[in-house]
Amino acid sequence: MSNSDIELYVHQLSNQATRENALLELSKKRENFPELAPYLWYSFGTVAALLQEIVSIYPLLSPPALTAHASNRVCNALALLQCVASHPETRGLFLQAHVPLFLYPFLNTISKTRPFEYLRLTSLGVIGALVKVDDTDVINFLLSTEIIPLCLRTMEMGSELSKTVATFIVQKILLDDVSSA
């Protein structure tokens, strides 16, 4: 995939009619384009489009009515946000914008169906990408939110993989100097 392809797909995220395919293509190819995160962050309307994808399924969370198709679509948006959360140039901006808070409703669900579990696991992946780098700002931000109880809930009722990621997040927070001070 060339830079011009990436630019085209990022541009297509702003258009509701072309967004789904652009989400799919960008999430599949994100590893091949190391500067995708800044490109996503600084492209006009792109983060807003990704957040729109996320909030559009909130009504499907309770009562549980999430389809596999809707879950996959949002998980593609979450994969792009994970890319932004992982990049050193965009991580701080991602936190300043409080983007992780938009994922918390997905961690607060209790349905064990595959679409919900996939959504929960992908959301945990975004938070996991934040804590993977030892950054005091990340830990301070997470400690100011309800991530610990949400991870504990996931450790109680999620799939084995979700439990593992949630445990990793809690462990990284607890082992950080900030949280133990």
Side-chain angles (χ1 to χ4, degrees), residues 140-181:
N140 282 330
F141 173 83
L142 293 174
L143 285 171
S144 74
T145 70
E146 72 264 22
I147 192 62
I148 300 277
L150 291 171
C151 284
L152 292 175
R153 168 179 269 187
T154 300
M155 290 161 64
E156 199 175 294
M157 52 77 59
S159 70
E160 284 305 310
L161 195 49
S162 286
K163 288 177 181 181
T164 302
V165 178
T167 303
F168 170 76
I169 292 167
V170 171
Q171 180 181 23
K172 290 294 277 187
I173 292 171
L174 293 177
L175 292 177
D176 188 85
D177 292 338
V178 173
S179 59
S180 59

Side-chain angles (χ1 to χ4, degrees), residues 22-143:
L23 285 168
L24 178 63
E25 293 302 320
L26 285 169
S27 68
K28 284 195 301 194
K29 307 287 194 232
R30 69 188 184 276
E31 303 295 326
N32 302 335
F33 192 64
E35 293 307 306
L36 179 60
Y39 200 82
L40 290 169
W41 188 262
Y42 293 112
S43 296
F44 179 77
T46 301
V47 173
L50 295 174
L51 293 176
Q52 185 179 29
E53 283 296 310
I54 289 168
V55 300
S56 71
I57 66 161
Y58 284 176
L60 304 177
L61 300 179
S62 184
L66 186 64
T67 64
H69 177 79
S71 177
N72 287 340
R73 182 172 170 149
V74 172
C75 285
N76 287 333
L78 291 171
L80 296 179
L81 287 178
Q82 182 172 344
C83 177
V84 173
S86 299
H87 197 281
E89 185 180 331
T90 52
R91 182 182 310 112
L93 299 166
F94 186 79
L95 290 174
Q96 287 173 13
H98 294 256
V99 174
L101 300 180
F102 286 90
L103 313 184
Y104 288 7
F106 304 149
L107 301 177
N108 205 23
T109 59
I110 55 173
S111 176
K112 293 186 178 190
T113 64
R114 179 172 279 157
F116 280 92
E117 184 54 36
Y118 186 40
L119 193 59
R120 193 168 22 254
L121 182 59
T122 310
S123 298
L124 287 167
V126 176
I127 307 299
L130 285 170
V131 299
K132 195 179 284 186
V133 289
D134 294 320
D135 184 335
T136 303
D137 291 337
V138 169
I139 301 303
N140 282 330
F141 173 83
L142 293 174
L143 285 171

